[in-house]
Amino acid sequence: SAVISQKPSRDICQRGTSLTIQCQVDSQVTMMFWYRQQPGQSLTLIATANQGSEATYESGFVIDKFPISRPNLTFSTLTVSNMSPEDSSIYLCSVRTGKGETQYFGPGTRLLVL
Amino acid sequence: AQTVTQSQPEMSVQEAETVTLSCTYDTSENNYYLFWYKQPPSRQMILVIRQEAYKQQNATENRFSVNFQKAAKSFSLKISDSQLGDTAMYFCAFRGNSGYALNFGKGTSLLVTP
């Protein structure tokens, strides 16, 4: 398994500002994923981040809104830019590793935009 | 595109009883992976059990087991001897053999009562 930490664990932000979420993994992984979980909803994939290449965004998510960095094999950041109340969600970092390439999740970052 | 359907938004079970959560999926692939994840209230998403489609034997992890019916594209989770700590949202997820990330169902909220 992989141990994943995220910072911050929660934040309250004003609309129009940006927040950068950090994801740290205790082992080197090739593939990292960022998901969004809106209140009471399931998880939606934002993008896949591979080290050394541009992130791949899913339909409905764009780089200008959710820029991602992946400087090495244990770390990634997701920025939520120009926030609005609709961005209030839990943002989860995930990695795929280990036996059968199981996917593991970080504890999430709870974001409230006022 | 693969879709995952969980038809039971909410379920409840008494402590020590057995409960089965349903999941169906749609795919044209022959090889793929299926997962059940548990998300306790305000806590981290954790893997409960996983199943490789090429394995005919149903996966089992202690009190958790699956009934995998490949032809019917059904992947139900059985929780035996339910405990209060099993109270959580349960998500069924699919990953194709050629895909990278998980497709999640909408989740089933399980309440275990004394």
Side-chain angles (χ1 to χ4, degrees):
Chain A
S1 65
V3 178
I4 306 169
S5 59
Q6 287 185 233
K7 290 182 181 179
S9 59
R10 59 180 65 232
D11 208 342
I12 301 173
C13 300
Q14 298 298 317
R15 67 169 66 213
T17 63
S18 297
L19 176 72
T20 295
I21 302 168
Q22 300 179 5
C23 176
Q24 180 75 51
V25 190
D26 69 339
S27 58
Q28 293 184 337
V29 294
T30 302
M31 305 193 75
M32 296 180 78
F33 308 89
W34 287 98
Y35 287 83
R36 181 176 75 181
Q37 186 178 24
Q38 294 179 302
Q41 301 296 315
S42 186
L43 283 74
T44 301
L45 180 66
I46 297 172
T48 301
N50 292 334
Q51 194 268 338
S53 62
E54 293 285 330
T56 302
Y57 289 83
E58 298 299 301
S59 175
F61 298 96
V62 295
I63 187 171
D64 290 345
K65 176 68 175 177
F66 297 101
I68 288 170
S69 76
R70 183 79 201 275
N72 57 53
L73 291 173
T74 63
F75 187 79
S76 177
T77 67
L78 169 76
T79 299
V80 186
S81 303
N82 189 25
M83 289 184 285
S84 67
E86 291 72 32
D87 294 320
S88 297
S89 293
I90 301 172
Y91 291 86
L92 298 105
C93 172
S94 176
V95 303
R96 198 174 87 183
T97 186
K99 179 181 178 182
E101 298 186 332
T102 296
Q103 205 160 324
Y104 298 94
F105 288 85
T109 296
R110 294 178 178 272
L111 172 63
L112 177 62
V113 184
L114 302 177
Chain B
Q2 295 93 353
T3 57
V4 179
T5 301
Q6 293 179 249
S7 59
Q8 304 151 314
E10 297 178 348
M11 293 191 73
S12 68
V13 63
Q14 282 194 316
E15 209 173 358
E17 297 296 308
T18 295
V19 64
T20 298
L21 309 183
S22 301
C23 174
T24 59
Y25 57 93
D26 183 29
T27 183
S28 58
E29 297 189 44
N30 190 46
N31 294 321
Y32 46 87
Y33 300 87
L34 295 162
F35 305 86
W36 279 98
Y37 284 88
K38 169 185 176 181
Q39 189 177 40
S42 300
R43 293 184 63 186
Q44 190 165 348
M45 180 89 76
I46 59 174
L47 177 69
V48 175
I49 199 166
R50 64 189 294 276
Q51 174 83 42
E52 293 95 336
Y54 63 86
K55 290 186 177 180
Q56 291 184 335
Q57 186 173 7
N58 289 325
T60 299
E61 287 287 346
N62 301 316
R63 297 183 295 108
F64 299 89
S65 61
V66 299
N67 182 6
F68 174 48
Q69 301 290 330
K70 190 172 183 179
K73 297 180 182 176
S74 172
F75 182 61
S76 61
L77 174 70
K78 185 173 80 171
I79 305 174
S80 303
D81 186 25
S82 297
Q83 301 176 0
L84 296 178
D86 295 332
T87 292
M89 183 71 80
Y90 287 82
F91 292 98
C92 178
F94 172 100
R95 182 174 74 80
N97 197 41
S98 58
Y100 296 108
L102 296 171
N103 291 323
F104 284 89
K106 291 185 180 297
T108 296
S109 178
L110 177 66
L111 175 65
V112 181
T113 59

Coordinates of all heavy atoms in Angstrom, one line a residue, chain B residues 60-108:
Chain B
T60 N -12.3 -12.5 -1.2 CA -12.8 -12.4 0.2 C -11.7 -11.8 1.0 O -10.5 -12.0 0.9 CB -13.0 -13.9 0.7 OG1 -14.0 -14.5 -0.1 CG2 -13.5 -13.8 2.2
E61 N -12.2 -10.9 1.9 CA -11.3 -10.2 2.9 C -12.0 -10.2 4.2 O -12.8 -9.3 4.5 CB -11.0 -8.8 2.5 CG -10.1 -8.7 1.3 CD -8.6 -9.0 1.6 OE1 -8.3 -9.1 2.8 OE2 -7.8 -9.2 0.7
N62 N -11.7 -11.2 5.0 CA -12.3 -11.3 6.4 C -13.9 -11.3 6.3 O -14.4 -12.2 5.7 CB -11.8 -10.2 7.3 CG -10.3 -10.2 7.4 OD1 -9.7 -11.3 7.6 ND2 -9.7 -9.0 7.3
R63 N -14.5 -10.3 6.8 CA -16.0 -10.3 6.8 C -16.6 -9.8 5.5 O -17.8 -9.8 5.3 CB -16.5 -9.4 7.9 CG -16.1 -9.9 9.3 CD -16.7 -8.9 10.4 NE -16.2 -7.6 10.3 CZ -16.9 -6.5 9.9 NH1 -18.1 -6.7 9.4 NH2 -16.3 -5.3 9.9
F64 N -15.7 -9.4 4.6 CA -16.2 -8.8 3.3 C -15.9 -9.8 2.2 O -14.8 -10.4 2.1 CB -15.4 -7.5 3.0 CG -15.6 -6.5 4.0 CD1 -14.8 -6.4 5.1 CD2 -16.7 -5.6 3.9 CE1 -15.0 -5.4 6.1 CE2 -16.9 -4.5 4.8 CZ -16.0 -4.5 5.9
S65 N -16.9 -10.0 1.3 CA -16.8 -10.9 0.2 C -17.6 -10.3 -1.0 O -18.5 -9.5 -0.8 CB -17.2 -12.3 0.5 OG -18.6 -12.4 0.9
V66 N -17.2 -10.8 -2.1 CA -18.0 -10.3 -3.3 C -18.6 -11.5 -4.0 O -18.2 -12.6 -3.9 CB -17.1 -9.5 -4.3 CG1 -16.5 -8.3 -3.6 CG2 -16.0 -10.4 -4.9
N67 N -19.7 -11.1 -4.8 CA -20.3 -12.1 -5.7 C -20.1 -11.5 -7.1 O -20.8 -10.6 -7.5 CB -21.8 -12.3 -5.4 CG -22.4 -13.3 -6.3 OD1 -21.7 -14.0 -7.1 ND2 -23.7 -13.5 -6.2
F68 N -19.1 -12.0 -7.8 CA -18.8 -11.5 -9.1 C -19.4 -12.3 -10.2 O -19.1 -13.5 -10.3 CB -17.2 -11.4 -9.3 CG -16.7 -11.1 -10.6 CD1 -17.3 -10.0 -11.3 CD2 -15.8 -11.8 -11.3 CE1 -16.8 -9.6 -12.6 CE2 -15.3 -11.5 -12.5 CZ -15.8 -10.4 -13.2
Q69 N -20.3 -11.8 -10.9 CA -21.0 -12.5 -12.0 C -20.6 -11.7 -13.3 O -21.2 -10.8 -13.7 CB -22.5 -12.4 -11.8 CG -23.0 -13.1 -10.5 CD -22.8 -14.6 -10.5 OE1 -22.9 -15.2 -11.6 NE2 -22.6 -15.1 -9.4
K70 N -19.6 -12.3 -14.0 CA -19.0 -11.6 -15.1 C -20.0 -11.5 -16.3 O -20.1 -10.4 -16.9 CB -17.7 -12.3 -15.6 CG -17.0 -11.5 -16.7 CD -15.6 -12.1 -17.0 CE -14.8 -11.3 -18.0 NZ -13.5 -11.9 -18.3
A71 N -20.7 -12.5 -16.5 CA -21.7 -12.5 -17.7 C -22.8 -11.5 -17.4 O -23.2 -10.8 -18.3 CB -22.3 -13.9 -17.9
A72 N -23.2 -11.4 -16.2 CA -24.3 -10.4 -15.8 C -23.7 -9.1 -15.5 O -24.5 -8.1 -15.3 CB -25.0 -10.9 -14.6
K73 N -22.4 -8.9 -15.5 CA -21.7 -7.6 -15.2 C -22.2 -7.1 -13.8 O -22.6 -6.0 -13.7 CB -21.9 -6.6 -16.3 CG -21.2 -7.1 -17.6 CD -21.4 -6.1 -18.7 CE -20.8 -6.7 -20.0 NZ -21.0 -5.8 -21.2
S74 N -22.1 -8.0 -12.9 CA -22.6 -7.7 -11.5 C -21.5 -7.9 -10.5 O -20.7 -8.9 -10.6 CB -23.8 -8.5 -11.2 OG -24.2 -8.4 -9.8
F75 N -21.4 -7.1 -9.5 CA -20.3 -7.1 -8.6 C -20.8 -6.7 -7.2 O -20.6 -5.5 -6.8 CB -19.1 -6.2 -9.1 CG -17.9 -6.3 -8.2 CD1 -17.2 -7.4 -8.0 CD2 -17.4 -5.1 -7.6 CE1 -16.0 -7.4 -7.2 CE2 -16.3 -5.1 -6.8 CZ -15.6 -6.2 -6.6
S76 N -21.4 -7.5 -6.5 CA -22.1 -7.2 -5.2 C -21.1 -7.4 -4.1 O -20.3 -8.3 -4.1 CB -23.4 -7.9 -5.0 OG -23.2 -9.3 -5.0
L77 N -21.3 -6.7 -3.0 CA -20.4 -6.8 -1.8 C -21.3 -7.3 -0.7 O -22.3 -6.7 -0.4 CB -19.9 -5.4 -1.4 CG -19.1 -5.3 -0.1 CD1 -17.8 -6.1 -0.2 CD2 -18.8 -3.9 0.3
K78 N -20.8 -8.3 0.0 CA -21.5 -8.9 1.1 C -20.7 -8.6 2.4 O -19.5 -8.9 2.4 CB -21.7 -10.4 1.0 CG -22.6 -11.0 2.2 CD -23.0 -12.4 1.9 CE -21.8 -13.3 2.3 NZ -22.3 -14.8 2.3
I79 N -21.3 -8.0 3.4 CA -20.7 -7.7 4.6 C -21.4 -8.6 5.7 O -22.6 -8.5 5.9 CB -20.8 -6.3 5.1 CG1 -20.3 -5.3 4.0 CG2 -20.1 -6.0 6.4 CD1 -20.6 -3.9 4.2
S80 N -20.6 -9.5 6.2 CA -21.1 -10.4 7.3 C -20.8 -9.9 8.7 O -19.8 -9.2 8.9 CB -20.4 -11.8 7.1 OG -20.6 -12.3 5.8
D81 N -21.7 -10.3 9.6 CA -21.4 -9.9 11.0 C -21.2 -8.4 11.1 O -20.1 -7.9 11.6 CB -20.2 -10.7 11.6 CG -20.0 -10.4 13.1 OD1 -21.0 -10.1 13.7 OD2 -18.9 -10.6 13.5
S82 N -22.1 -7.6 10.6 CA -21.9 -6.2 10.5 C -21.6 -5.6 11.8 O -22.1 -5.9 12.9 CB -23.2 -5.5 9.9 OG -23.5 -6.0 8.6
Q83 N -20.7 -4.6 11.8 CA -20.3 -3.9 13.0 C -20.6 -2.4 12.8 O -20.7 -1.9 11.7 CB -18.8 -4.1 13.2 CG -18.4 -5.5 13.3 CD -16.9 -5.8 13.5 OE1 -16.1 -4.8 13.4 NE2 -16.5 -7.0 13.6
L84 N -20.7 -1.7 14.0 CA -21.0 -0.3 13.9 C -20.0 0.5 13.1 O -20.3 1.5 12.5 CB -21.1 0.3 15.4 CG -22.2 -0.3 16.3 CD1 -22.1 0.3 17.7 CD2 -23.6 -0.1 15.7
G85 N -18.8 0.0 13.1 CA -17.7 0.7 12.4 C -17.8 0.5 10.9 O -17.1 1.2 10.1
D86 N -18.7 -0.3 10.5 CA -19.0 -0.5 9.0 C -19.8 0.6 8.5 O -20.0 0.7 7.2 CB -19.6 -1.8 8.7 CG -18.7 -3.0 9.1 OD1 -17.5 -2.8 9.0 OD2 -19.3 -4.1 9.4
T87 N -20.4 1.5 9.3 CA -21.2 2.6 8.9 C -20.3 3.5 8.0 O -19.3 4.0 8.5 CB -21.8 3.4 10.0 OG1 -22.8 2.6 10.7 CG2 -22.4 4.7 9.6
A88 N -20.8 3.7 6.8 CA -19.9 4.4 5.8 C -20.7 4.5 4.5 O -21.7 3.9 4.3 CB -18.6 3.8 5.6
M89 N -20.1 5.3 3.6 CA -20.5 5.3 2.2 C -19.6 4.3 1.5 O -18.4 4.3 1.7 CB -20.3 6.7 1.6 CG -20.8 6.8 0.2 SD -22.5 6.8 0.0 CE -22.9 8.5 0.4
Y90 N -20.2 3.4 0.7 CA -19.5 2.4 0.0 C -19.6 2.7 -1.5 O -20.7 2.9 -2.1 CB -20.1 1.0 0.3 CG -19.7 0.6 1.6 CD1 -20.4 1.0 2.8 CD2 -18.6 -0.3 1.8 CE1 -20.1 0.6 4.0 CE2 -18.3 -0.7 3.1 CZ -19.0 -0.3 4.2 OH -18.6 -0.7 5.5
F91 N -18.5 2.7 -2.2 CA -18.4 3.0 -3.6 C -17.9 1.8 -4.4 O -16.9 1.2 -4.0 CB -17.5 4.2 -3.9 CG -18.0 5.5 -3.4 CD1 -17.5 6.0 -2.2 CD2 -18.9 6.3 -4.1 CE1 -18.0 7.3 -1.7 CE2 -19.3 7.5 -3.7 CZ -18.9 8.0 -2.5
C92 N -18.6 1.5 -5.4 CA -18.1 0.5 -6.3 C -17.3 1.2 -7.4 O -17.7 2.3 -7.9 CB -19.3 -0.3 -6.9 SG -18.9 -1.5 -8.2
A93 N -16.2 0.6 -7.9 CA -15.4 1.3 -8.9 C -14.9 0.3 -9.9 O -14.6 -0.9 -9.6 CB -14.2 2.0 -8.2
F94 N -14.7 0.8 -11.1 CA -14.2 -0.1 -12.2 C -13.0 0.6 -12.9 O -12.9 1.8 -13.0 CB -15.4 -0.1 -13.3 CG -15.0 -0.7 -14.6 CD1 -15.3 -2.0 -14.9 CD2 -14.3 0.0 -15.6 CE1 -15.0 -2.6 -16.1 CE2 -14.0 -0.6 -16.8 CZ -14.3 -1.9 -17.0
R95 N -12.1 -0.3 -13.2 CA -10.9 0.2 -14.1 C -10.7 -0.8 -15.2 O -10.5 -2.0 -14.9 CB -9.7 0.4 -13.2 CG -8.5 0.9 -14.1 CD -7.3 1.2 -13.2 NE -6.6 0.1 -12.7 CZ -5.8 -0.6 -13.5 NH1 -5.5 -0.3 -14.7 NH2 -5.2 -1.7 -12.9
G96 N -10.7 -0.3 -16.4 CA -10.4 -1.1 -17.5 C -9.0 -1.5 -17.6 O -8.1 -0.8 -17.0
N97 N -8.7 -2.6 -18.3 CA -7.3 -3.0 -18.4 C -6.4 -2.0 -19.1 O -5.2 -1.9 -18.9 CB -7.3 -4.4 -19.1 CG -6.0 -5.1 -18.9 OD1 -5.4 -5.1 -17.8 ND2 -5.4 -5.7 -20.0
S98 N -7.0 -1.3 -20.0 CA -6.3 -0.3 -20.8 C -6.4 1.1 -20.2 O -5.8 2.0 -20.7 CB -6.7 -0.3 -22.2 OG -8.1 0.0 -22.3
G99 N -7.2 1.3 -19.2 CA -7.4 2.6 -18.6 C -6.5 2.9 -17.5 O -5.7 2.0 -17.0
Y100 N -6.5 4.1 -17.0 CA -5.6 4.5 -15.9 C -6.4 4.8 -14.6 O -5.9 4.5 -13.6 CB -4.9 5.8 -16.4 CG -4.0 5.6 -17.6 CD1 -4.3 6.1 -18.8 CD2 -2.8 4.8 -17.4 CE1 -3.5 5.8 -19.9 CE2 -2.0 4.6 -18.5 CZ -2.3 5.1 -19.7 OH -1.5 4.9 -20.8
A101 N -7.5 5.4 -14.7 CA -8.2 5.8 -13.5 C -9.5 5.0 -13.3 O -9.9 4.2 -14.1 CB -8.5 7.3 -13.5
L102 N -10.1 5.3 -12.1 CA -11.3 4.6 -11.7 C -12.5 5.3 -12.1 O -12.6 6.5 -12.0 CB -11.3 4.4 -10.2 CG -10.1 3.5 -9.6 CD1 -10.1 3.6 -8.1 CD2 -10.3 2.1 -10.1
N103 N -13.6 4.5 -12.5 CA -14.9 5.0 -12.7 C -15.7 4.6 -11.5 O -15.8 3.4 -11.2 CB -15.6 4.5 -14.0 CG -14.9 5.0 -15.2 OD1 -14.5 6.2 -15.3 ND2 -14.8 4.2 -16.2
F104 N -16.3 5.5 -10.8 CA -17.0 5.3 -9.6 C -18.5 5.3 -9.8 O -19.0 6.0 -10.6 CB -16.7 6.3 -8.5 CG -15.3 6.1 -7.9 CD1 -14.2 6.7 -8.4 CD2 -15.2 5.4 -6.7 CE1 -13.0 6.6 -7.8 CE2 -13.9 5.2 -6.1 CZ -12.8 5.8 -6.7
G105 N -19.2 4.4 -9.0 CA -20.6 4.5 -8.9 C -21.0 5.7 -8.0 O -20.1 6.3 -7.4
K106 N -22.3 5.9 -7.8 CA -22.7 7.1 -7.0 C -22.7 6.8 -5.5 O -22.8 7.7 -4.7 CB -24.1 7.5 -7.4 CG -24.2 8.1 -8.8 CD -25.6 8.6 -9.1 CE -25.7 9.2 -10.5 NZ -24.8 10.4 -10.6
G107 N -22.5 5.5 -5.1 CA -22.3 5.2 -3.7 C -23.6 4.7 -3.1 O -24.7 5.0 -3.5
T108 N -23.4 3.9 -2.0 CA -24.5 3.4 -1.2 C -24.1 3.8 0.3 O -23.0 3.4 0.8 CB -24.7 1.9 -1.3 OG1 -25.1 1.6 -2.6 CG2 -25.7 1.4 -0.3

